[in-house]
């Protein structure tokens, strides 16, 4: 994507199954809905530092193996990374204030996750069926863990829940 592009519109690269790598320049501030959904060979993405929002299903069902979300991002849309079954690591910055439902659901190779202190709630289905997840550390600002947030995370051996959590939704840790 060339420098100067500021927005990537909805479904811009949807079903580009041969796309394996992409660099999103620093001029882009927003990634729309379903931009890379079903780009099954997309294993590498460099997300520009000016991105503030990642849209609904932006990277769903891709072949990503790791992702670093830039520190300017404050919002990750619903199911943004759902079904990224090769995703083993994700870096979530301490600037994220909201995530959508099912944001990392069915990322079956994800091993550990740290929820930053900037988040006050973990949405429903956030890590649903992340069967490879072994460790989850939840930031001290989290007050609420949504229903099924860690449902069917059958490999979790260690989860740290802050004393500040006041609400744990139904089946949040069921599995």
């Amino acid at each position: 994507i060339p420098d100067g592009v500021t927005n990537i519109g909805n479904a811009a690269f949807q079903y580009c199954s041969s796309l394996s790598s992409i660099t999103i320049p620093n001029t882009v501030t927003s990634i729309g809905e379903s931009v890379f959904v079903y780009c099954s060979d997309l294993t590498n993405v460099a997300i520009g530092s000016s991105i503030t929002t990642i849209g609904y299903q932006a990277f769903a069902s891709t072949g990503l193996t790791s992702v670093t979300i830039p520190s300017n991002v404050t919002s990750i849309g619903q199911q943004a990374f759902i079904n990224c079954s090769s995703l083993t690591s994700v870096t979530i910055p301490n600037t994220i204030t909201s995530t959508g439902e099912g944001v990392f659901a069915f990322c079956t190779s994800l091993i550990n996750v740290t929820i930053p202190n900037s988040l006050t709630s973990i949405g429903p289905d956030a890590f649903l069926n992340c069967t490879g997840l072994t460790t989850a550390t939840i930031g001290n600002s989290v007050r609420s863990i949504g229903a099924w947030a860690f449902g069917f995370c059958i490999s979790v051996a260690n989860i740290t829940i802050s004393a500040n959590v006041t609400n744990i939704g139904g089946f949040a840790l069921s599995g």
Side-chain angles (χ1 to χ4, degrees):
I1 299 173
D3 282 339
V5 173
T6 58
N7 181 57
I8 303 172
N10 297 347
F13 294 91
Q14 185 177 14
Y15 290 105
C16 288
S17 59
S18 295
L19 181 66
S20 62
S21 180
I22 195 150
T23 299
I24 300 170
N26 291 334
T27 54
V28 175
T29 59
S30 176
I31 300 173
E33 295 182 3
S34 304
V35 172
F36 299 103
V37 69
Y38 302 118
C39 293
S40 55
D41 286 350
L42 182 61
T43 57
N44 184 32
V45 63
I47 302 173
S49 62
S50 298
I51 299 289
T52 58
T53 59
I54 297 174
Y56 167 79
Q57 290 192 345
F59 294 97
S61 298
T62 61
L64 289 176
T65 56
S66 69
V67 66
T68 299
I69 299 168
S71 61
N72 277 353
V73 175
T74 58
S75 176
I76 304 173
Q78 189 174 8
Q79 301 177 353
F81 295 93
I82 193 172
N83 201 37
C84 290
S85 59
S86 298
L87 188 65
T88 59
S89 74
V90 61
T91 302
I92 305 170
N94 203 28
T95 53
I96 298 294
T97 57
S98 69
T99 63
E101 184 175 329
V103 68
F104 293 104
F106 298 93
C107 292
T108 54
S109 297
L110 191 60
I111 298 167
N112 61 49
V113 66
T114 299
I115 307 298
N117 287 326
S118 55
L119 266 179
T120 58
S121 70
I122 299 171
D125 306 329
F127 297 94
L128 177 68
N129 207 47
C130 290
T131 55
L133 191 66
T134 60
T135 305
T137 304
I138 299 172
N140 290 330
S141 297
V142 173
R143 304 283 185 265
S144 177
I145 300 172
W148 294 102
F150 294 94
F152 298 109
C153 293
I154 58 174
S155 299
V156 169
N158 185 17
I159 188 164
T160 305
I161 300 174
S162 157
N164 295 326
V165 171
T166 58
N167 180 54
I168 298 175
F171 307 97
L173 302 162
S174 179

